[in-house]
Amino acid sequence: MKSNYKRLGDYIEPCVEKNTGNLIKDLRGISNRKYFQKAKTNTIGIDLSKYIVVRTNQFAFNRATTRNGDKISIALRKGKDCIVSPSYRMFKSRDENILNSEYLMMWFRRPEFDRYARFKSHGSAHEFFDLDEMYEVELPVPSIEKQREIVKEYNTVVNRIKLNEKLNQKLEDAAQALYKHWFVDFEFPNAEGKPYKSTGGKMVYNEELDLEIPEGWKVKSVKEFSVDMKSGATPNRGVPEYWNSHDIPWLKTGELKNGVIINSEEYISELGLKESSAKILPKNSVLIAMYGQGETKGQVGYLKIESSTNQACCAIISLNEICATFLYYHLRLNRKEIVSVAIGGAQPNLSKEIIENIKLLIPKKEVLENHPFVYIMNYRESLTRENYYLSGFKNIILSKMSKTAL
């Protein structure tokens, strides 16, 4: 044991409190991202008295580690009391003035703890990391003043990240509402700055769409509206030289989460790009997932970097940012309709041809050029980039804990 490290079992105690009388109804599970989440179990008609109560400042963790990848599902309860599966294990700090719970939770967020817990897991068909193993965890326990200082620094970063995420979501919500107001309800500002349709703006019937649209507006396909459309490719995974450098970002459909894209989980080499059908896509390309896991299909992403993608992504390259951001929000708001025309078997997929033929209602040039989506997307980019760097700083704080002075 390092000189400044202590055995965790000397600082914590187990908590076992059954939900007597079914008083607590909020059943929770724990994500391997280390937070409590709503349990998927249907509790109707279930006797909840067999579940275990988790109160504020108590820890709960799933001792089963077999199906959890490289993460341990553990979380510190904040807010209202809840109940968890009786297979979970609970404990708390014996004295908050000696070992701060939030400081301890920071230790559990370190990848080093996950690796340790997986290494110490035992069993044949199923592996477990139980309370006995938790007691043997070693960590630095500096003065309570130092612990609180570290927690404060960490929370400052975390709270800023959360604030940026809320701002980003508000911008997204506002942009979607504005798109509907302008391009669905046709209440864009007229020459006098008044809402077009409700103040008598001229409407004409369009047979193709079977609805009235503003005079001068046109219907085009995505292919007609775009400059180019491309799909990606996956270099051979069996050739290490294609994947052993950080030359070119390479995106998977799971990374298209209806937002701004500034980085990727994987990269390919220049050689991998050259010897495959992968392509470099320009900044401001709009990506749409043709297929993928779960709800991935039809999700979009807005590139703020040059990147390549896998073959399940369709990239749409527009004339400029005005057209690209307009297209992005059209695809965002019409995802359900777009996905509904997918073809295939048990899991019908989109295709490049289907996406090419998506119909767009294109406004007059002066209306299109006055929408604010470029400014919104650029602001979202700045928030996303700030959070990227803040997340790196958060990880630095966690990594420095192992060098904490007493």
Side-chain angles (χ1 to χ4, degrees), residues 9-60:
D10 296 332
Y11 294 85
I12 63 175
E13 59 187 21
C15 306
V16 183
E17 180 185 353
K18 291 188 176 181
N19 187 30
T20 305
N22 289 337
L23 296 178
I24 301 175
K25 309 294 184 184
D26 186 13
L27 177 61
R28 296 274 166 169
I30 301 174
S31 163
N32 62 9
R33 294 176 64 189
K34 306 190 189 301
Y35 60 82
F36 287 89
Q37 60 185 3
K38 198 72 176 175
K40 298 177 182 178
T41 305
N42 185 349
T43 59
I44 297 175
I46 299 295
D47 179 12
L48 298 179
S49 64
K50 66 180 181 180
Y51 290 90
I52 307 299
V53 176
V54 186
R55 300 197 183 277
T56 300
N57 266 8
Q58 291 182 355
F59 292 87

Side-chain angles (χ1 to χ4, degrees), residues 179-180 182-186 188 203-222 224-225 326-327 330 334 357-364 367-368 371:
Y179 182 95
K180 183 177 182 298
W182 279 34
F183 304 116
V184 178
D185 300 333
F186 308 127
F188 55 91
M203 306 289 288
V204 295
Y205 179 74
N206 181 274
E207 290 186 5
E208 190 172 3
L209 298 178
D210 190 26
L211 57 80
E212 287 195 331
I213 64 174
E215 185 180 40
W217 289 32
K218 297 179 180 179
V219 178
K220 290 185 178 181
S221 67
V222 167
E224 292 170 329
F225 185 67
F326 170 79
L327 175 63
H330 176 87
N334 291 279
N357 290 320
I358 293 171
K359 297 299 181 184
L360 301 172
L361 179 56
I362 310 300
K364 284 183 173 181
V367 177
L368 182 63
H371 75 65

Side-chain angles (χ1 to χ4, degrees), residues 44 71 89 99 101 115 152 177 226 251 273 275 298 313:
I44 297 175
K71 300 286 187 180
R89 297 293 182 261
L99 178 60
S101 292
R115 287 196 292 269
K152 182 179 179 181
S226 65
L251 291 160
L273 179 75
E275 297 187 356
C313 290

Side-chain angles (χ1 to χ4, degrees), residues 26 64 85 265 276 319 321 328 350 358:
D26 186 13
S85 166
E265 295 173 357
S276 73
L319 180 65
E321 288 180 83
Y328 170 88
L350 292 171
I358 293 171

